[in-house]
Amino acid sequence: MSPTFDHVTLGQRVLFGSGRAADNLAAEVTRLGARRIMVIASPSEVPVAQEVTKHIDGTLFHDDVAPHVPIAKAESARAAAAEHSIDLLVCVGGGSTTGLAKAVALTTGLPIVAVPTTYAGSEATNVWGLTEAARKTTGVDDRVLPVTVIYDAHLTLSLPVELSVASGLNGMAHCIDSMWAPRTDPINRALAAEGIRALAEGLPAIKNDPQNLRGREQTLYGAYLSAVAFASAGSGLHHKICHVLGGAYDLPHAQTHATVLPYVLAFNAPAAPEAEHRIAGAFGTDTAVAGLDALRVALDAPRALKNYGLDEAWIAEAVELILPFVPDSNPRPVTATDLEALLRAAHAGETPVL
């Protein structure tokens, strides 16, 4: 039977080139005709941001950034943008920095130029997230999609191997979740499969040699593909779990995704043979679970949520928080018992069970 689907490709300019970030940013500022620029970067990323923005005149540097975008941080940034009559947002950093820029764009409609320094992928999606009273809310709005993304692998060279691994596996989670997310289709599955292949090639190269620029370029490429696939396919079971855990218990974003991923894959794979076969093919292994497991062993990937701040006593509450957000389209029905078993195994770092 011929495939039938409805696919939307998001409109975005992507500039990719190692060592070219500052020049590419200056060219984009000129192209967009921006005159009052707000540069958003966390305190640790300010030196990188200063280098990237050396050819432009930034009106305001804003470094009040925190994971999961607390609503108070968003309101502060929005007020700063209004006070200085900002007409362009430039964010330099990881997912938290991009997330804050999106929070400003959500209410102001200001354009964003994103310059990622990690493999988070948020820069290529129209998904936003805000945390208030320990609950994370996410949504979709085209206003938050950066108009331009500037990728420069040189900017990731200082990212420690452990964070590179966790961030890259966050990208891998975007790819795998896209195989069975609510709006999945043949186009975003193809992008996700290529993303898996690129990440599986690039991350071990970084692990073996942190200064391997080719490995970092492949990983950036894979992270971009993962985000484009995710933006089209939507949030699957994996992301619903991780968004709740991150917002409710302030767990680190990338490490949480990296830890939970093998458990969701092992849970869903038997019920989604076509997706499982495609994932396995991208890894070049007999099964999807074997491919991800081999990669995680090679990378010495994060293994247990207890190592990242999740108290076992919180699991029962987490199950109740997650259950209402489980997508109806998940390949396998999800019960409270299933979620509890998955979270307990991920908390302890036990071997995922099919």
Side-chain angles (χ1 to χ4, degrees), residues 127-325:
V127 178
W128 57 267
L130 290 167
T131 301
E132 184 173 14
R135 297 292 181 265
K136 186 169 185 176
T137 301
T138 61
V140 174
D141 194 308
D142 286 346
R143 286 178 297 178
V144 309
L145 178 74
V147 296
T148 305
V149 184
I150 295 173
Y151 288 111
D152 183 341
H154 276 293
L155 304 183
T156 72
L157 287 172
S158 62
L159 189 67
V161 169
E162 293 78 10
L163 286 178
S164 296
V165 166
S167 184
L169 288 175
N170 181 17
M172 184 69 74
H174 286 122
C175 293
I176 290 175
D177 225 20
S178 295
M179 293 293 186
W180 42 57
R183 299 189 304 274
T184 191
D185 64 45
I187 295 173
N188 50 53
R189 287 194 195 111
L191 292 170
E194 173 64 1
I196 292 170
R197 185 207 61 76
L199 289 166
E201 175 185 327
L203 286 170
I206 296 173
K207 175 71 174 178
N208 294 334
D209 176 9
Q211 298 303 302
N212 185 318
L213 193 63
R214 169 66 178 168
R216 291 191 179 270
E217 288 173 338
Q218 277 294 293
T219 304
L220 265 185
Y221 165 64
Y224 169 71
L225 292 175
S226 78
V228 174
F230 173 71
S232 172
S235 292
L237 176 62
H238 171 89
H239 280 80
K240 297 303 184 183
I241 291 171
C242 292
H243 286 165
V244 168
L245 294 179
Y249 309 112
D250 197 28
L251 305 189
H253 183 85
Q255 291 89 341
T256 301
H257 280 268
T259 303
V260 170
L261 179 59
Y263 298 94
V264 176
L265 177 59
F267 181 83
N268 272 344
E274 183 179 344
E276 194 279 337
H277 179 73
R278 188 183 282 256
I279 296 167
F283 278 122
T285 53
D286 291 337
T287 69
V289 169
L292 180 60
D293 185 58
L295 178 64
R296 286 172 52 80
V297 169
L299 298 176
D300 191 21
R303 302 206 69 83
L305 290 176
K306 65 182 180 183
N307 296 333
Y308 299 103
L310 184 68
D311 191 312
E312 189 174 11
W314 300 338
I315 289 177
E317 178 191 50
V319 168
E320 295 303 314
L321 293 174
I322 295 166
L323 205 54
F325 295 102

Side-chain angles (χ1 to χ4, degrees), residues 74-101:
E75 290 173 348
S76 174
R78 290 165 178 168
E83 179 183 352
H84 290 84
S85 302
I86 296 301
D87 61 8
L88 177 66
L89 304 169
V90 173
C91 53
V92 182
S96 298
T97 304
T98 307
L100 183 60

Side-chain angles (χ1 to χ4, degrees), residues 110-138:
L110 289 171
I112 302 171
V113 173
V115 187
T117 60
T118 71
Y119 311 113
S122 175
E123 67 280 354
T125 80
N126 57 353
V127 178
W128 57 267
L130 290 167
T131 301
E132 184 173 14
R135 297 292 181 265
K136 186 169 185 176
T137 301
T138 61

